[in-house]
Amino acid sequence: MEIRLLIEDSQGGRSEHRLGPGEHLLGKASECRVPIGDPFASRRHARILVDEEEVYLEDAGSRNGIWQEGNRLSGRTRVRVGDRFRIGETMLLFASPGIEEAGRSDGSHQLEEVRGGDEEVRLSLVRQPVVIDGSVADDEEFHAFKSQVHQLLLEYLDRHKRAVIHTLDDQQLREEATEAVRLVLRENDLELPSGRSDERLVREIVAEAVGLGPLEPLLEDEEVTEIMVNGHRQIYVERRGRLQPIPVVFQSDASLLSIIERIVTPLGRRIDEGSPTVDARLPDGSRVNAVIPPLSLVGPVLTIRKFAKDRLTIDDLVARGSLSREMAEFLAVCVRQRKNIIVSGGTGSGKTTTLNILSNFIPNGERIVTIEDAAELQLHKDHVVRLESRPANVEGRGEVSIRDLVRNALRMRPDRIVVGECRGGEALDMLQAMNTGHDGSLTTGHANSPRDFLSRLEVMVLMSGIDLPVRAIREQIASAVDVIVQQTRFSDGTRRITSVMEVDSMEGDVILLQKIFEFVQTGRGADGRVRGYFTGCGYAPSFYTDLEASGETLDRSIFERRSAAEGVEG
């Protein structure tokens, strides 16, 4: 059997190889039957096995692996005509020996093959862009060279800059480190491996020594909303709601752990075997969570939820189909008229983003106190006091909980209290604040539905350690909470407000909920995206008369139920 391998690199250069029975190596080494000059390829990256009937592809122990449709291959994979694979920025296409190639005027390429009868198979040699342009060199020689220079740099900084290093800001530290790398290369007479850029080496070494290493380009990429590092050899990102792996790595677990410590230490937090998990934030407000061994079995695990650089508005959410214009107008009125609102939803559903946007409707001149575990709320108001909880120190002392901060906030003359998330006994203090003159409070909570959130709220109140009857708790909830906004992240990555509920009165021992708006899912489009529409539910909230008395004018028709043809598409 013979197979034809077509290769296209990142610059559009293409080559062709006809492979007969036997084993064929792919990589940078001179002994490789199929040379791969990609910067992300290893010396002996992969092997192709051709026998009389089948063709197989397997990884030869490379650092960055072989990828197919966003998945990294493991073990030996059977290859068929038309299969496409990626090594770094290089695309591989397997075709039968009879295939012919034709160029197209638009610069793209098309491959055609007629396999008996009138069946025509068209195969496109499509390059999938690599996320990062050379953030890490992946062959063993360059990796070892970088490790050597990295160690020499740290030793140099420790010897010559120890006294002043803590007085430098980030920019000054990078300048010092950049100069130190160049000095280390000169003093030790180190010569870069052939084909490598001095500027690239310096940039990567400095990023990993005093910055965030290969994560820095990802943090600059506006399309990346979340970064997930599963040990030093595996990094995933979320783009447009979809997870995808990227071909970059850290030098070692120790290097990754060093970067985690660099993030948490300035915040007065620690991570070690005695405290192997930590929540923190980056200077731009991005949320950080880290878990290290012995809790993690894959090495240090780092998750960064990026904070949007551009300030989002309610109009942005409407334009993205997260809610309808009618829903936006109603929620804006609720905030202005000091209704207590809870944003409920699952992890990554967009609760904090929605909370940020709703806070923009708070009138200027009001004093706002925000309370969070790791400060990430960005309220664009003049009078904002931001409070952040603090974990216990090494001796187990000094902890300041969310509940402590909520109680303290009541003494700070707040007009509004905004709690990043209620997840424990602070729920009782929050409810009491809402019931004792602090109307217009905002918070978020994890739950799959508004009804589930009420049940979870009861549990959180009981976590306060105060033994209250369930009916008393429910009466507190029904009296305190006015509106629950349910946020959902769908399987296609889109985030929508799926319902807006009014918390009404009690009937017996049950809290009554009335649905005001909802998202009705109608199916999926050809592109796999969830389709549906927003509609009112035929119910105007019980506090609507109060809103009108305060001078707010809302068209009652926005609450009418609509059909799929009449509703607002989302």
Side-chain angles (χ1 to χ4, degrees):
M1 180 179 182
E2 187 180 63
I3 192 77
R4 188 180 180 196
L5 175 62
L6 303 172
I7 299 177
E8 182 177 1
D9 62 28
S10 61
Q11 305 302 317
R14 300 193 295 160
S15 60
E16 170 190 327
H17 303 272
R18 292 178 179 265
L19 307 177
E23 177 180 307
H24 308 277
L25 283 174
L26 290 77
K28 292 180 178 178
S30 58
E31 67 267 24
C32 289
R33 168 72 172 79
V34 180
I36 303 290
D38 193 282
F40 291 96
S42 298
R43 290 177 57 79
R44 296 165 60 92
H45 197 104
R47 61 176 61 92
I48 298 173
L49 306 172
V50 183
D51 61 23
E52 294 301 325
E53 297 182 353
E54 304 290 350
V55 178
Y56 297 92
L57 175 66
E58 69 177 6
D59 197 313
S62 68
R63 290 184 57 80
N64 286 313
I66 308 166
W67 300 83
Q68 184 181 35
E69 297 180 351
N71 299 312
R72 183 168 180 165
L73 302 187
S74 59
R76 184 174 295 184
T77 300
R78 183 182 175 188
V79 174
R80 295 177 175 82
V81 170
D83 282 351
R84 289 191 293 267
F85 303 89
R86 177 167 59 84
I87 294 177
E89 297 177 315
T90 300
M91 295 300 299
L92 314 179
L93 171 65
F94 287 88
S96 68
I99 199 165
E100 296 298 333
E101 180 180 349
R104 294 170 60 181
S105 60
D106 61 0
S108 58
H109 303 285
Q110 171 180 300
L111 301 172
E112 298 182 1
E113 176 187 13
V114 179
R115 289 185 285 174
D118 55 1
E119 176 190 10
E120 185 180 89
V121 180
R122 295 179 181 270
L123 307 171
S124 298
L125 189 58
V126 181
R127 288 190 295 108
Q128 301 179 22
V130 171
V131 176
I132 297 179
D133 180 18
S135 292
V136 175
D138 298 304
D139 64 83
E140 291 80 355
E141 180 184 5
F142 192 54
H143 180 72
F145 183 81
K146 279 178 58 180
S147 298
Q148 179 187 7
V149 178
H150 185 267
Q151 185 60 38
L152 290 171
L153 169 64
L154 295 181
E155 292 174 359
Y156 175 88
L157 291 175
D158 187 56
R159 287 197 312 268
H160 300 284
K161 302 293 181 179
R162 180 188 300 176
V164 299
I165 199 167
H166 297 294
T167 65
L168 304 176
D169 61 28
D170 183 67
Q171 183 60 35
Q172 292 172 327
L173 184 58
R174 286 177 179 271
E175 292 173 358
E176 289 284 353
T178 299
E179 183 61 32
V181 172
R182 302 187 191 282
L183 190 61
V184 164
L185 290 173
R186 290 197 301 269
E187 288 184 350
N188 293 275
D189 197 23
L190 297 175
E191 184 175 344
L192 270 74
S194 60
R196 297 300 179 180
S197 163
D198 177 70
E199 288 301 320
R200 174 180 166 182
L201 171 72
V202 172
R203 184 175 66 251
E204 292 175 7
I205 292 294
V206 170
E208 199 149 343
V210 300
L212 300 181
L215 300 183
E216 292 192 348
L218 296 176
L219 291 168
E220 293 297 322
D221 189 338
E222 294 184 1
E223 288 191 349
V224 173
T225 54
E226 197 142 5
I227 303 168
M228 290 144 279
V229 183
N230 309 324
H232 77 281
R233 294 179 63 88
Q234 187 181 71
I235 302 177
Y236 280 78
V237 299
E238 181 187 68
R239 268 195 173 87
R240 294 180 291 277
R242 299 293 182 92
L243 295 182
Q244 55 183 250
I246 60 170
V248 295
V249 296
F250 287 87
Q251 292 192 46
S252 64
D253 279 347
S255 176
L256 174 55
L257 181 58
S258 174
I259 286 175
I260 293 173
E261 291 174 340
R262 203 173 299 140
I263 293 172
V264 304
T265 300
L267 303 176
R269 309 203 172 199
R270 65 188 181 92
I271 187 165
D272 50 40
E273 288 190 4
S275 180
T277 67
V278 68
D279 286 313
R281 69 179 188 279
L282 296 178
D284 66 353
S286 297
R287 181 190 304 175
V288 176
N289 174 268
V291 184
I292 65 172
L295 297 189
S296 168
L297 304 182
V298 297
V301 175
L302 178 65
T303 308
I304 300 176
R305 182 168 298 168
K306 287 177 57 181
F307 189 83
K309 293 182 179 179
D310 296 330
R311 174 184 171 185
L312 294 178
T313 67
I314 197 72
D315 293 331
D316 294 320
L317 293 191
V318 172
R320 295 179 182 185
S322 296
L323 76 168
S324 67
R325 174 62 61 186
E326 292 80 5
M327 295 165 67
E329 292 174 356
F330 174 73
L331 292 175
V333 170
C334 288
V335 175
R336 288 198 298 267
Q337 295 303 314
R338 306 182 67 85
K339 298 303 174 184
N340 295 319
I341 300 175
I342 294 175
V343 182
S344 167
T347 299
S349 60
K351 298 186 299 297
T352 302
T353 298
T354 299
L355 186 67
N356 258 325
I357 291 174
L358 292 181
S359 69
N360 293 331
F361 297 118
I362 297 175
N364 289 325
E366 295 191 13
R367 178 176 171 85
I368 307 168
V369 178
T370 69
I371 301 169
E372 301 171 83
D373 260 337
E376 57 181 323
L377 291 173
Q378 299 286 337
L379 275 61
H380 300 278
K381 294 294 176 181
D382 295 331
H383 198 166
V384 179
V385 179
R386 305 177 69 197
L387 304 180
E388 184 179 55
S389 65
R390 184 178 70 186
N393 59 20
V394 179
E395 292 80 22
R397 301 175 181 175
E399 179 182 10
V400 179
S401 67
I402 291 287
R403 188 176 184 191
D404 295 329
L405 293 178
V406 171
R407 287 198 296 256
N408 187 78
L410 300 178
R411 307 184 186 100
M412 298 174 66
R413 199 270 182 207
D415 289 306
R416 309 267 186 155
I417 297 176
V418 180
V419 179
E421 181 182 344
C422 276
R423 59 165 65 93
E426 66 272 7
L428 175 60
D429 301 284
M430 189 72 183
L431 291 176
Q432 289 179 325
M434 291 176 175
N435 276 321
T436 54
H438 294 89
D439 296 329
S441 297
L442 302 169
T443 188
T444 72
H446 282 81
N448 293 325
S449 70
R451 179 65 65 183
D452 287 346
F453 181 79
L454 294 183
S455 298
R456 185 161 181 261
L457 196 53
E458 292 178 26
V459 174
M460 289 190 287
V461 170
L462 293 173
M463 291 170 64
S464 66
I466 299 177
D467 189 14
L468 292 173
V470 171
R471 181 175 177 83
I473 296 174
R474 292 178 180 174
E475 288 176 346
Q476 285 270 321
I477 294 172
S479 176
V481 181
D482 295 308
V483 175
I484 299 178
V485 178
Q486 183 65 33
Q487 190 100 10
T488 302
R489 180 181 184 275
F490 289 87
S491 57
D492 62 352
T494 57
R495 296 167 171 88
R496 295 183 178 92
I497 293 177
T498 49
S499 67
V500 178
M501 308 278 282
E502 179 193 10
V503 180
D504 208 341
S505 56
M506 294 274 295
E507 187 173 283
D509 289 336
V510 179
I511 300 174
L512 297 181
L513 291 177
Q514 291 287 351
K515 188 177 291 185
I516 303 172
F517 295 99
E518 68 175 341
F519 173 77
V520 180
Q521 184 174 338
T522 57
R524 287 183 178 272
D527 57 358
R529 294 178 67 85
V530 172
R531 301 297 182 191
Y533 65 96
F534 296 103
T535 177
C537 297
Y539 171 81
S542 59
F543 54 77
Y544 187 79
T545 304
D546 297 334
L547 296 180
E548 289 180 321
S550 67
E552 294 284 359
T553 56
L554 279 175
D555 184 358
R556 285 182 178 268
S557 65
I558 69 173
F559 302 116
E560 294 175 0
R561 183 170 290 280
R562 293 173 169 80
S563 65
E566 299 170 322
V568 179
E569 185 176 348

